[in-house]
Amino acid sequence: MLLFFLSSGLFLGWSLGANDAANVFGTAVGSRMIRFKTAAIICGIFVIIGAVAGGSGTSETLRKLGAVSALSGAFTVALSAALSIFVMVRVKLPVSTSQAIVGAIIGWNLFADKPTDTSTLIKIIGTWIICPILAGMIAAVLYIIVRFLVNRSRLHLLRQDQLTRYGLIIVGAFGAYSLGANNIANVVGVFIPSSPLHSLVLPILGTFSPAQQLFLIGGISIAVGVATYSKGVMETVGSSVVKLSPLAALIVVMAEATVLFVFASKGLDSFLISHGLPPIPLVPISSSQAAIGALVGIGLVRGGKGIHYSLLGKISLGWVATPIMASIITFIALFFMQNVFNQTVIAPEKATVEIQLKEPGKVKTTDTLTQSKKKSASQSHNDFHIFPQKYRSHPIIKVIPNSFNHLMNVKRLNKETVCPGFFCLLHGLFVRKTG
Amino acid sequence: MALMQNLTKLLIARIDEYLDAISEGMIVFQQGLEDYLGNRMTDFEERMAMVDQYESRADKLRREIENQLYSHSLIPEMRGDVLGLLEHLDNIIDVAKETLTQFSIEVPDIPMELVEDFTKLGESSVKAGEELVNAARAFFRELSRVKDHIHKVYFYEKETDRITSNLRMKIFRRDMKLSRKMHLRDVAVHVAKISDEAENVADRLSIYTIKRSI
């Protein structure tokens, strides 16, 4: 069942692998510097490593934006993101999976009547705008350095070719790692809050968290996309769209990979925080837009000729149009999923019971805010019965099926807990609602 | 990786050998011309045979380089340009060989008063060819130096044209049979053809240089 619901995310992963791998290895393969087979193997391996090892940062940001609480809801969100990408491609507007998934999550928030964290949203949009600019700046600096070195080094053309090949493989691997780390959130990020998986303890690798298991599955789907469908895209990118020398392509991939890495690296973020520097937002970004930014950066250093500035306008339009389109499609899709297919797209709110035993006679030390959030177990239990009636007057999309939730919570309360006699003997028996 | 390293080393050596063959062929051509003008026919025949050997060696090396570049997909984005450069460089030594062969077969009767002009013409034409070889070496190793050599190729080509014009004027102002005049003119034009070929290759090389810069 999990795999069925994951299928929309895996489809997103597959399409991401088929399209975005060209941003990493496109020129190298298209210009025959590296064979497709070599590129696909390197890309597949490093995308999976990047996804499993470094995918948590961006996923956390998406979760802050909106935690899709039901598996079928997550399925619908991912499917709607994929659908909005399809629509945007049909109307020939530049589109990114990151923008589509963010829009889809906002669509879920609207449908579930959950507030969207505006600070996270601003952080995400800000990063989208900064991403191509940063990639352009990195590419421009790298281009100047590499041009200086090549002119001074007196390397033979064939030796330069040989070193460029090695460079394309190494930088391509780094790019694939960064792509996996940054973009895996787009693929399986929405499934994390509702994942039914449990932690696995593996003999050598240690604990494998449910999120990491999802990242592994998502990473494999990207790798499959690379292996099965990216060859044509790579050859098109490498041979006809933009004519780049392999060395310039190396710089573009390096700049793009650096930006993807910077906005996905938890380690770098922690390092900056520990040194009193401002943290880096860990946000899924568009590798295509980073690549375009890098190309523009190089173009400006070369004198700014041949840059199609209208393309930059189209990208800006994509920042707004894609999330809006994805939000609308997601909202409609969730409505149909819930009311036509009778699927639970919003999980019932769970109330968990927190039991604290306090020493008799000891004064409670919890602050007022915490106290206000806590209720006695009996009160909470009564609430479960009142809950459906309370929401009876609300529109259908706001009614949360409560029976399952109630049953779960009753099960959690053992006999002693629901017994008022014993309850009176316990001092710190509190109930806390969790979102 | 080691295979790639060895292959690169081998090809670099082959390209250097090829350029050496062209350059040495040019020098021997000039010596052969001087031997002919100095009426040292045995030496001339020897030089002509040497130019023939250099030309054959250059052909063999060029084919080997072409095969290696294609079979191992090396310098994919520059391969066409590099092969074009090598093939056009080969034309220069072909022209040198043909010119000496023409001298050997047609045995032009060059008046003593024109020997110095023919010597200067040969020197200038060969210098254009040599500078072109230097430009080609720079194209492979030091891109920024290509312009310096190309500029000299153009200079020597113009100089060769000037010498040719003067020589033709002298030829047609002399009291000789028209057939002899035309024969001498034809020989002079053939000697100058090396610099014309060098100019053509230099034009191509300028474009290749722009394409090679990252």
Side-chain angles (χ1 to χ4, degrees):
Chain A
M1 201 62 182
L2 171 69
L3 270 179
F4 172 77
F5 282 124
L6 262 179
S7 62
S8 59
L10 298 183
F11 172 67
L12 264 182
W14 177 83
S15 61
L16 193 130
N19 278 296
D20 289 10
N23 295 330
V24 180
F25 278 108
T27 313
V29 172
S31 62
R32 308 260 184 266
M33 288 291 278
I34 300 173
R35 279 180 300 172
F36 171 73
K37 200 176 166 186
T38 313
I41 291 169
I42 294 168
C43 194
I45 291 170
F46 280 90
V47 155
I48 294 170
I49 293 172
V52 176
S56 58
T58 49
S59 302
E60 182 65 23
T61 306
L62 285 192
R63 199 195 60 76
K64 277 183 197 164
L65 186 71
V68 183
S69 55
L71 206 51
S72 56
F75 166 82
T76 315
V77 166
L79 189 69
S80 307
L83 203 63
S84 51
I85 290 169
F86 175 74
V87 172
M88 292 294 281
V89 169
R90 290 290 291 177
V91 296
K92 290 179 180 173
L93 274 174
V95 66
S96 130
T97 318
S98 313
Q99 288 149 19
I101 206 79
V102 164
I105 290 171
I106 294 168
W108 186 86
N109 284 347
L110 291 171
F111 185 80
D113 202 20
K114 305 262 183 193
T116 299
D117 185 355
T118 42
S119 66
T120 307
L121 185 63
I122 290 166
K123 196 166 77 173
I124 289 171
I125 295 171
T127 310
W128 289 345
I129 297 165
I130 288 167
C131 151
I133 297 168
L134 187 63
M137 284 161 67
I138 293 170
V141 172
L142 282 175
Y143 182 80
I144 292 165
I145 294 169
V146 170
R147 190 172 60 181
F148 175 81
L149 291 175
V150 166
N151 288 340
R152 296 287 178 282
S153 65
R154 300 188 66 184
L155 269 177
H156 194 280
L157 176 64
L158 286 161
R159 182 78 63 211
Q160 188 186 308
D161 175 72
Q162 187 195 358
L163 293 174
T164 309
R165 274 167 204 263
Y166 296 154
L168 281 168
I169 291 172
I170 294 164
V171 172
F174 173 51
Y177 174 90
S178 304
L179 183 72
N182 189 287
N183 277 199
I184 193 67
N186 299 334
V187 178
V188 290
V190 288
F191 294 93
I192 295 171
S194 58
S195 165
L197 296 168
H198 301 285
S199 289
L200 291 173
V201 181
L202 298 171
I204 302 162
L205 299 167
T207 312
F208 212 44
S209 70
Q212 281 178 317
Q213 292 168 47
L214 281 174
F215 293 154
L216 177 67
I217 298 166
I220 291 168
S221 75
I222 299 175
V224 170
V226 174
T228 56
Y229 218 74
S230 68
K231 193 177 182 183
V233 186
M234 282 188 189
E235 280 171 356
T236 310
V237 166
S239 59
S240 59
V241 176
V242 184
K243 278 277 179 194
L244 273 184
S245 72
L247 212 50
L250 181 77
I251 294 165
V252 168
V253 177
M254 186 67 196
E256 176 199 328
T258 307
V259 173
L260 283 167
F261 179 79
V262 163
F263 290 119
S265 174
K266 262 190 161 179
L268 185 66
D269 191 45
S270 322
F271 174 81
L272 290 175
I273 292 167
S274 67
H275 285 77
L277 294 162
I280 292 170
L282 305 178
V283 173
I285 55 168
S286 162
S287 61
S288 309
Q289 288 175 10
I292 290 168
L295 281 168
V296 171
I298 290 178
L300 287 173
V301 175
R302 279 175 168 175
K305 288 171 191 167
I307 299 172
H308 297 286
Y309 291 99
S310 58
L311 183 67
L312 304 180
K314 272 192 169 184
I315 289 175
S316 322
L317 183 66
W319 290 332
V320 183
T322 313
I324 291 173
M325 173 76 75
S327 300
I328 295 166
I329 291 175
T330 307
F331 195 94
I332 297 166
L334 285 168
F335 181 82
F336 275 94
M337 202 67 175
Q338 183 178 262
N339 299 304
V340 177
F341 298 104
N342 288 325
Q343 292 294 316
T344 310
V345 292
I346 307 154
E349 285 193 33
K350 289 176 186 174
T352 55
V353 178
E354 191 180 277
I355 300 168
Q356 287 183 0
L357 285 170
K358 297 276 179 183
E359 285 175 30
K362 198 166 185 177
V363 181
K364 287 177 188 173
T365 53
T366 46
D367 58 73
T368 326
L369 184 70
T370 315
Q371 280 183 22
S372 68
K373 286 182 178 176
K374 294 178 178 179
K375 292 188 275 183
S376 70
S378 58
Q379 180 62 44
S380 172
H381 187 73
N382 290 334
D383 277 356
F384 295 138
H385 292 282
I386 298 162
F387 201 65
Q389 282 97 37
K390 210 165 98 183
Y391 282 88
R392 201 162 278 170
S393 59
H394 283 232
I396 189 145
I397 56 165
K398 286 186 178 177
V399 174
I400 302 163
N402 201 41
S403 55
F404 177 73
N405 187 23
H406 170 55
L407 186 71
M408 291 299 289
N409 283 285
V410 169
K411 274 187 180 173
R412 284 183 189 190
L413 299 169
N414 55 30
K415 281 177 193 171
E416 288 78 12
T417 313
V418 289
C419 169
F422 183 72
F423 172 75
C424 296
L425 296 172
L426 299 171
H427 278 279
L429 190 62
F430 303 108
V431 172
R432 184 159 59 92
K433 275 191 177 181
T434 55
Chain B
M1 215 171 253
L3 181 78
M4 183 85 172
Q5 181 92 0
N6 291 339
L7 182 71
T8 305
K9 261 188 190 174
L10 180 83
L11 267 172
I12 291 172
R14 289 283 177 274
I15 290 171
D16 284 342
E17 276 178 51
Y18 176 80
L19 294 173
D20 288 346
I22 307 275
S23 177
E24 285 167 30
M26 290 287 103
I27 296 165
V28 175
F29 164 80
Q30 197 188 333
Q31 287 173 336
L33 186 66
E34 283 168 8
D35 286 337
Y36 182 87
L37 295 171
N39 207 19
R40 297 182 292 273
M41 292 311 284
T42 320
D43 288 346
F44 168 76
E45 292 296 333
E46 208 177 291
R47 303 285 186 204
M48 197 177 74
M50 281 172 76
V51 170
D52 192 33
Q53 280 173 8
Y54 280 121
E55 195 268 337
S56 303
R57 181 162 171 70
D59 275 347
K60 196 182 159 197
L61 283 166
R62 181 176 56 80
R63 285 191 199 102
E64 197 183 327
I65 293 164
E66 279 177 5
N67 285 340
Q68 295 278 15
L69 285 179
Y70 268 103
S71 56
H72 296 280
S73 295
L74 298 173
I75 46 168
E77 86 292 356
M78 292 297 299
R79 194 163 48 210
D81 294 346
V82 167
L83 296 184
L85 174 67
L86 298 182
E87 276 168 18
H88 284 91
L89 274 170
D90 197 42
N91 288 348
I92 290 174
I93 198 161
D94 284 348
V95 171
K97 186 188 146 191
E98 276 171 28
T99 309
L100 287 189
T101 310
Q102 190 189 22
F103 272 94
S104 175
I105 294 168
E106 298 173 11
V107 199
D109 185 9
I110 298 169
M112 283 302 288
E113 296 80 25
L114 298 181
V115 166
E116 200 187 327
D117 291 290
F118 267 98
T119 310
K120 274 185 185 172
L121 180 66
E123 275 175 8
S124 178
S125 199
V126 163
K127 272 185 181 170
E130 282 180 346
E131 282 302 330
L132 179 72
V133 173
N134 289 336
R137 281 189 208 280
F139 173 76
F140 285 108
R141 287 190 187 275
E142 202 180 356
L143 211 59
S144 57
R145 302 280 299 166
V146 175
K147 261 189 178 178
D148 299 342
H149 296 294
I150 284 180
H151 151 78
K152 284 180 184 169
V153 173
Y154 291 144
F155 173 80
Y156 286 118
E157 195 275 332
K158 271 184 196 161
E159 185 65 10
T160 309
D161 278 353
R162 191 187 62 79
I163 296 168
T164 313
S165 297
N166 289 342
L167 185 60
R168 283 164 71 188
M169 211 176 280
K170 280 183 186 175
I171 289 169
F172 281 92
R173 287 202 182 5
R174 282 183 71 85
D175 186 21
M176 287 189 293
K177 275 187 176 176
L178 182 63
S179 58
R180 193 180 169 198
K181 284 178 186 176
M182 289 174 77
H183 190 204
L184 287 177
R185 181 203 59 190
D186 194 37
V187 169
V189 168
H190 223 116
V191 173
K193 211 176 161 186
I194 292 175
S195 69
D196 291 335
E197 280 293 336
E199 190 192 29
N200 287 342
V201 183
D203 286 340
R204 287 171 176 272
L205 197 54
S206 303
I207 305 296
Y208 298 160
T209 306
I210 295 165
K211 281 170 78 179
R212 214 204 123 179
S213 54
I214 65 162

